[in-house]
Amino acid sequence: MGRDITGPGVRESRRLRTRHELLHYGLTLFEDQGYGGTTIGDIARRAGVSERTFFRYFASKEELVLQPLQELTELFLAEAERRPAHEPPLTALHEAGRRVMERAAEGPLETLLASLRLICAEPELRAAQLVRHAEGHQRLATILARRERTGPGDLRPGLLVGAYAMASILATQSWNRHSDGSLAALLRCTDDHLRQMPAALAGHWAG
């Protein structure tokens, strides 16, 4: 039996390719035949790998769908921490989100948009997303508290993160229902919702 003489660069390239193919075929099958109607075996066969190989990359179908958003969340948290200190908290969140979404256009964009469409369509995935993002929300509130130098027990960072997260969810649902499904439309929907936040949170709405 010959030795495996492939170097670490080749192995990493293969690993990334397999992961991408599992994501691509998984999301495609979910959209074509339904999330509940697609098994892990279906995805593995379409990608030309075993179910055992699937589980090396993803613990479940749910994780496969949510993974692109988890990666986006990590980028967003890093960007939020880098925002200039002179920006008000809501502006910092808005700009961080916009920068990260614009950067997403440089990568496998359709994977991200397919993930968002599925989460909008499947209550099970929406619930799972909220649970998984709870830690990210806490980390984001900590970032805001640090940049604004708020004291222990100050509720404002957590309240703003909660309102921002809900605005983002509503924007994504509006994008899925009423737009052409493009990244540009998602950015517009998000901008529209975030612009309304100050007026929604303070003052009267009449007029």
Side-chain angles (χ1 to χ4, degrees):
M1 182 181 296
R3 291 184 301 127
D4 181 2
I5 59 173
T6 58
V10 174
R11 289 194 295 272
E12 178 64 10
S13 178
R14 288 177 179 171
R15 188 189 71 81
L16 291 174
R17 184 171 65 250
T18 300
R19 180 183 177 279
H20 172 75
E21 288 176 351
L22 286 168
L23 266 171
H24 169 73
Y25 289 120
L27 293 171
T28 299
L29 285 169
F30 292 149
E31 291 201 293
D32 288 347
Q33 60 191 40
Y35 179 74
T38 301
T39 67
I40 288 172
D42 294 334
I43 300 167
R45 281 190 294 275
R46 184 67 66 87
V49 299
S50 66
E51 290 188 38
R52 183 177 178 181
T53 296
F54 176 96
F55 286 115
R56 290 177 187 161
Y57 293 86
F58 304 102
S60 62
K61 295 191 304 181
E62 175 187 292
E63 184 176 291
L64 184 150
V65 176
L66 299 182
Q67 186 63 37
L69 285 187
Q70 185 60 42
E71 294 175 358
L72 196 71
T73 295
E74 293 300 322
L75 293 173
F76 172 71
L77 291 169
E79 184 63 33
E81 197 148 25
R82 288 194 294 265
R83 297 307 304 166
H86 66 82
E87 290 181 345
L90 180 57
T91 301
L93 295 182
H94 190 178
E95 291 302 319
R98 172 170 279 279
R99 292 290 182 89
V100 168
M101 292 304 294
E102 289 172 347
R103 284 169 57 189
E106 302 170 3
L109 178 60
E110 185 49 40
T111 297
L112 173 62
L113 297 182
S115 176
L116 288 173
R117 289 193 296 269
L118 283 163
I119 291 169
C120 288
E122 298 288 341
E124 176 185 346
L125 291 172
R126 289 202 299 274
Q129 180 199 15
L130 290 175
V131 171
R132 286 177 178 244
H133 282 187
E135 179 188 354
H137 294 167
Q138 182 56 51
R139 290 166 62 193
L140 183 56
T142 299
I143 290 171
L144 291 181
R146 185 164 55 243
R147 63 175 276 134
E148 295 299 311
R149 297 184 175 87
T150 59
D154 193 312
L155 300 178
R156 289 174 294 178
L159 289 171
L160 178 58
V161 168
Y164 175 84
M166 182 52 65
S168 298
I169 290 170
L170 293 173
T172 303
Q173 292 173 348
S174 177
W175 163 80
N176 187 58
R177 289 194 303 265
H178 305 302
S179 80
D180 62 4
S182 66
L183 176 63
L186 179 58
L187 289 171
R188 285 195 301 271
C189 286
T190 302
D191 286 345
D192 290 344
H193 281 71
L194 293 181
R195 275 198 298 267
Q196 292 292 326
M197 272 186 62
L201 295 172
H204 295 287
W205 299 341

